[in-house]
Structure formats: structure tokens, C-alpha cells
Amino acid sequence: MTSIKEISLDQATGSLILADDVTNVHGQVLVNAGTPLRREIIAFLAKHGIATVKVRTTSPAKNTELSTVTNLISAGTRLKMVQTMQNAFRNHSGIAAHLPYMRECIDEVIGELSMQENLLIYLSDIRQQGGYLYGHCVDVGVFAVAFGMAMGLPRDDIYVLGLGGLLHDYGKTRVPGEILEKNCRLTPDEFEQVKKHTSFGYNILRIETHVDSRIALMALQHHERPDGRGYPWGIGDDKIHPLARIVAVADVYDALITDRVYRPRIPAHEALGIINAGAGTQFDPKVVEAVNKIIVPYYIGSAVKLDNGTTGAVLRINTLEPARPVVWTREGIINLLRERNLQIVAVV
Ligand SMILES: [Fe+2]
């Protein structure tokens, strides 16, 4: 688990990473967050009279068995985010006026997630208020921040990632509403129009609004795939921006676990199975690895069947491997974290 602590500069060593930008008395950035505290950096900061710095520390992961899992973000923050996105999508005068509110929302999300002792995405995090599009953008923003944190990204990347998640589908404001709201299969021509939301989003964000290029790239590339079978360009593997790869997984996972007009939601464990099956072809395996660390695919109390034929109920979640919980059965309690030869095969 990664935490942030303030240390005096004489305690700094090369193995520590700066958690925040270090600025001088005029507010000018001397060294960026994410920089390792090498000897020359420490000397440079000392020369500028810096006495303390904030660093990220990573302690070895240890398991905790949880009998309850809290929501990722508070109901108040979520409601504020949905309203912010509703305003942004409905007001066609321009996205620029809404960006400060979105930044505020992402700051709150990062603040709330940083306070969590165990960063886990539980099923109760998928409740959506408002229209699908706004709720989806909020979920993708929150999930992307959580995935970025699980991957140990620097704060600046996580912040940009959250904004990119909120805005990834903004290009849909230029796709006819009757196509987006259609409750049956799209014609090939309609699908071609929907695909354009990626380049529409890029144009609005980068060319018309001049936001950070990474945010615009997340809008452009979140449907690209490592195997080159995505859209709009079908660019493969290393050409997809690393942050767009994270939004791609958050986007698909959230779409799968949410009710749509043309199909009901898919249970979280099945959605996670689909994400895992797409590692390396549809999704970046490094992102999938992080997702497996934090998504809790079973409700506490849900009835499950193991591959030895035993049925039982999920009793506690193992934070180290949320997909391998502690299961109560008639024969006794089975901790799947330790019983590696057993696995859940169905929710019954
Ligand atoms: Fe999209």
C-alpha cells in the first residue's frame, strides 16, 4: 500500500519518490512530483533552502479479512459529480466553463480514495443516478483514479486520469441523441456515427478548448486496443497513451456492470472474467493486473459454488486477492487465499 509522509530533507534517500511538486517561496516548481530523490536532487533542494519534502512510501502488501467493504466515494461527492457532468453535457456553450468544477470533483475523489485503508471497488459502487451517460462518465472517472492509484502512478497522472475519465465520452455531445438513445441494435451506418465520438471529443478538448493533451488523447484513444482492432485508427500496443489504456478498462468494466436499454447488467464476477480474458488483446495486461487487486467481484453473503462441488456463502473479503474470499460452508470455513487448489465457479 502506498502512503504519503513528510520527511526532513536530511532523511531523504534515492529510493524515495517525491509525492508533491516542490516549490520555492515564489511558487515556482523546483522539482516535479514523481522524481526520485537522488543525491543531486537533494543537494539542489538544500541549496534552495528546502527543509522538508513529501514522499511516497510503499509498505509490503499484507492481507486483511474484511467483513464489510465501504463505498469508494461518499454519496455527496458522487451526487456533485453527476450534477457537474449533467451541466457539462447539457450546456453546449463550451466545456471550458465547466472544467474548474470537474477539477474540484477529482480533487475530492483523490482525497477520499487516499483516505481509504483498503482501496477496493465493491458492487455497491455501481449505483447510478441521472442518465446513463453522466453516471457512466462519473464511474469511469472514479474507477480510473482507483486503477491509477493501484498502479502506483504519480499524483499528477492520477489527477489528469480522473479528468480524462470524466471527459472520455464528451464527443457524444456531437452524436445525434436518437442514435445514442436507441434501444435496439445499431445499423452499420449508425455505429460509424457513434465511433466518431472519439475524434469529436479530441477536437473539442484539444483543438477548441486546449486542455492538457493527455485528456484529449484519452477521449481519442479509449476504444483503441493493443491488438490493433479498436477505433478510430486501429493503432496497436505501444501507440496507445498509457492513461488511455486505463480509461479503456474502466469504460468497459463500468458498461458491463450497468443496466442498459438493450441488456441487463452483467454480474461483477462475470465482468471481471471478461476483462481478464481480454488482457493482452483488448486491454493492457498491466492495467488488468491492477484491476484484479481492487475489484471485489462477490457480495459478502452471496451464495457461491466451488469447483469441488461444495456450496457456501462469502463470509469475508481478502484484501490481498479480492476474488479469493473466505467462504463459509457446512464442512467448515474455507479461506481461498490459502486453499489455492479450490476456486469459485458459480454464484448460485
Ligand atoms: Fe466511448
Side-chain angles (χ1 to χ4, degrees):
M1 169 168 290
T2 303
S3 57
I4 294 173
K5 72 173 182 180
E6 189 159 15
I7 59 165
S8 75
L9 199 61
D10 28 316
Q11 291 176 281
T13 65
S15 60
L16 294 169
I17 307 278
L18 277 176
D20 256 338
D21 292 344
V22 181
T23 52
N24 63 15
V25 286
H26 308 294
Q28 291 162 324
V29 176
L30 296 173
V31 182
N32 289 312
T35 307
L37 281 169
R38 295 184 302 270
R39 200 180 304 163
E40 66 273 21
I41 299 285
I42 298 170
F44 174 76
L45 292 173
K47 206 173 104 191
H48 282 82
I50 302 296
T52 61
V53 284
K54 284 187 181 157
V55 293
R56 285 206 307 266
T57 56
T58 305
S59 49
K62 71 175 198 297
N63 188 57
T64 309
E65 291 179 18
L66 300 177
S67 48
T68 54
V69 182
T70 49
N71 282 352
L72 259 187
I73 55 166
S74 64
T77 298
R78 186 174 167 79
L79 185 62
K80 184 173 156 183
M81 291 177 81
V82 172
Q83 284 168 347
T84 301
M85 295 316 292
Q86 249 169 0
N87 293 339
F89 271 87
R90 285 177 182 168
N91 182 340
H92 296 289
S93 61
I95 188 70
H98 301 275
L99 285 171
Y101 303 106
M102 290 182 203
R103 290 198 180 101
E104 208 177 288
C105 289
I106 294 300
D107 264 337
E108 282 180 34
V109 170
I110 294 174
E112 289 190 18
L113 266 59
S114 305
M115 303 279 283
Q116 303 254 358
E117 201 176 335
N118 299 291
L119 191 58
L120 292 171
I121 298 174
Y122 196 51
L123 295 130
S124 53
D125 288 311
I126 62 172
R127 299 287 171 265
Q128 294 199 343
Q129 305 139 343
Y132 168 76
L133 190 54
Y134 321 126
H136 173 66
C137 289
V138 169
D139 285 346
V140 173
V142 175
F143 288 173
V145 167
F147 295 168
M149 283 183 168
M151 293 173 79
L153 297 187
R155 193 188 187 283
D156 175 61
D157 280 357
I158 291 172
Y159 182 72
V160 169
L161 185 56
L163 286 170
L166 287 182
L167 288 164
H168 75 287
D169 266 348
Y170 195 72
K172 286 191 174 167
T173 52
R174 299 215 174 147
V175 176
E178 58 272 23
I179 296 181
L180 295 177
E181 283 148 30
K182 215 175 148 187
N183 59 4
C184 56
R185 209 178 177 80
L186 298 178
T187 65
D189 180 54
E190 287 167 338
F191 188 49
E192 285 307 313
Q193 293 201 56
V194 170
K195 282 172 159 181
K196 287 184 186 160
H197 78 277
T198 49
S199 32
F200 288 155
Y202 182 84
N203 290 345
I204 298 167
L205 295 167
R206 186 66 186 155
I207 297 168
E208 297 171 25
T209 322
H210 313 293
V211 300
D212 186 308
S213 60
R214 292 171 292 176
I215 296 174
L217 279 175
M218 283 182 259
L220 182 67
Q221 298 180 340
H222 69 274
H223 289 286
E224 296 287 2
R225 303 168 39 134
D227 63 6
R229 296 177 60 203
Y231 66 84
W233 303 115
I235 51 170
D237 218 14
D238 55 345
K239 294 188 190 70
I240 309 169
H241 193 281
L243 299 184
R245 295 157 187 241
I246 298 174
V247 169
V249 180
D251 177 33
V252 173
Y253 182 72
D254 184 65
L256 289 171
I257 60 171
T258 308
D259 284 325
R260 305 297 299 272
V261 277
Y262 50 86
R263 61 148 174 82
R265 69 176 66 171
I266 290 168
H269 66 280
E270 284 179 26
L272 195 58
I274 292 171
I275 298 291
N276 275 290
T281 51
Q282 192 176 357
F283 307 114
D284 181 339
K286 277 196 227 120
V287 182
V288 176
E289 194 187 318
V291 167
N292 282 314
K293 281 191 213 161
I294 60 169
I295 284 182
V296 180
Y298 307 104
Y299 275 118
I300 292 170
S302 61
V304 291
K305 187 176 178 187
L306 305 181
D307 56 355
N308 65 355
T310 313
T311 53
V314 172
L315 192 62
R316 289 187 293 273
I317 302 300
N318 283 309
T319 55
L320 211 51
E321 267 187 81
R324 299 190 67 82
V326 179
V327 179
W328 175 90
T329 71
R330 286 214 177 128
E331 290 82 41
I333 289 171
I334 298 174
N335 188 343
L336 293 175
L337 193 64
R338 288 197 286 270
E339 306 286 338
R340 308 298 301 186
N341 54 332
L342 290 176
Q343 60 181 346
I344 295 172
V345 286
V347 174
V348 290

